[in-house]
Amino acid sequence: MAERISRDDVAHVAWLARLHLSAEDLDRFTAQLGDVLDHAADVEALNLDGVPATSHAYPLGNVLRDDIPEPCLDRDEVLAQAPETEAGQFRVPPVRGEAP
């Protein structure tokens, strides 16, 4: 079988991704990517006549519940449990770099 990907191809892709690879890494990744491409060729060679195209192995269903309005918590009761409040809101420490 002809070489599916060359060491120079792997080095070029690494350069594009701004990765510094040692000579050992280039050899290892060339072999690994060649194996991946060989497997992809095996999959491509499968006879899939009569097999319907699918995006998922199992049918998908909506897993969300209906949006039904319900009573919410009492604002004063919730704010009473906060360590600090200000003007009817939670008071939190300032974010670094922001003026108070």
Side-chain angles (χ1 to χ4, degrees):
M1 174 181 270
E3 186 177 354
R4 296 191 83 35
I5 189 166
S6 72
R7 190 174 192 272
D8 290 338
D9 291 335
V10 174
H12 179 69
V13 171
W15 179 80
L16 291 173
R18 292 176 174 54
L19 298 174
H20 175 70
L21 299 179
S22 67
E24 294 168 354
D25 288 339
L26 280 173
D27 292 336
R28 183 172 31 141
F29 293 145
T30 301
Q32 289 176 350
L33 288 171
D35 291 343
V36 169
L37 291 173
D38 288 342
H39 180 69
D42 292 343
V43 171
E44 185 179 20
L46 293 173
N47 180 6
L48 300 176
D49 293 339
V51 178
T54 59
S55 60
H56 296 281
Y58 299 102
L60 296 178
N62 189 354
V63 295
L64 301 175
R65 65 174 172 77
D66 291 335
D67 190 12
I68 302 170
E70 295 182 4
C72 62
L73 299 173
D74 180 62
R75 178 188 205 95
D76 294 330
E77 183 180 339
V78 172
L79 288 174
Q81 297 177 37
E84 293 184 55
T85 61
E86 182 178 306
Q89 299 177 351
F90 294 106
R91 179 165 170 62
V92 296
V95 176
R96 276 198 144 165
E98 289 186 8

